[in-house]
Every structure is written in C-alpha cells, then in structure tokens.
Amino acid sequence: MPPKVDLKKCDGCKGENEPLCVSICPGDLLFLNEESVRAVCRSPRDCWDCMSCVKACPQGAIETKLPYQLGYYPAKLIPLMGGKRVSWTCIGQDGKVERFTYKNRN
Ligand code: SF4
Ligand code: SF4
C-alpha cells in the first residue's frame, strides 16, 4: 500500500534542507506539494513498502500498510542494491516469487 501522509502531523520538515522522507525514498516517489507544504507520493503504485519514509519522518506522519501477501511466514521482501538500481525479490506467503527493479535517484 502506498504511504499515507497525515496532513495534520506533517510540517513539511521545516528547518531541513530537504524533507527527510523525500531524501530517503529510494524510488524518488515523494515530493513536497508547494501549496500545502506537505509530502505527497507522486506514484503510489510504484511504492514497494520499504518503510524508509515511515522510519525517517520525525513527526510520525507517514503510515503504510503491508499487502497481505507479505503478512505471514514465509513471506519475504529482499532488497539488492547494485549500481544505479535496486532490485527487490518478493516471496509471497504462497511461495510465489516476483522480482522488481527500479532506478535509484542518483
Ligand atoms: S515506503 Fe519506501 S518506496 Fe514507498 S514511499 Fe516510502 S520510502 Fe518510498
Ligand atoms: S518526513 Fe514527515 S514531516 Fe517531513 S515532509 Fe515527510 S511526512 Fe512531512
């Protein structure tokens, strides 16, 4: 599930050079809406639930929900960083294996 930003809690990371969720998202999916000054996910379908933004947010403003396929043993989500790409191997609770590769920001 894509990240859900609590607009009442998010303060746009005022005082930071760049919002922490924006700088940490490996998929470059988050940006700051100029009008609301709140974080927004530009492409929810591309979020792979890595939870980095959830952990980075100092306001506790971001919530994600794991898809049910990852909810129980033996489900795994395994990242592999390499050069300008990150590859994810997703093993669902039914043993189905899927692989996704995304470009990094840098
Ligand atoms: S959960 Fe990960 S991939 Fe999804 S928006 Fe947050 S940092 Fe980006
Ligand atoms: S890290 Fe949290 S407070 Fe900062 S912009 Fe992102 S959602 Fe808002």
Side-chain angles (χ1 to χ4, degrees), residues 24-27 47-55 64 66 77 88:
I24 204 163
C25 176
C47 171
W48 55 77
D49 305 300
C50 72
M51 305 282 173
S52 297
C53 57
V54 175
K55 290 189 276 185
T64 71
L66 285 173
L77 188 58
W88 294 87

Side-chain angles (χ1 to χ4, degrees), residues 4-6 9-14 16 18-24 30-32 37-40 52-63:
K4 185 175 166 209
V5 178
D6 185 327
K9 289 183 181 173
C10 173
D11 66 358
C13 277
K14 56 185 173 194
E16 300 284 347
E18 185 177 31
L20 301 181
C21 61
V22 173
S23 63
I24 204 163
L30 297 164
F31 69 99
L32 211 58
V37 198
R38 301 292 184 265
V40 177
S52 297
C53 57
V54 175
K55 290 189 276 185
C57 178
Q59 303 299 324
I62 307 178
E63 179 181 287

Side-chain angles (χ1 to χ4, degrees), residues 68-70 72-75 90-98:
Y68 77 91
Q69 293 95 332
L70 292 175
Y72 301 96
Y73 182 85
C90 175
I91 304 168
Q93 62 183 19
D94 58 0
K96 182 179 170 191
V97 178
E98 293 179 275

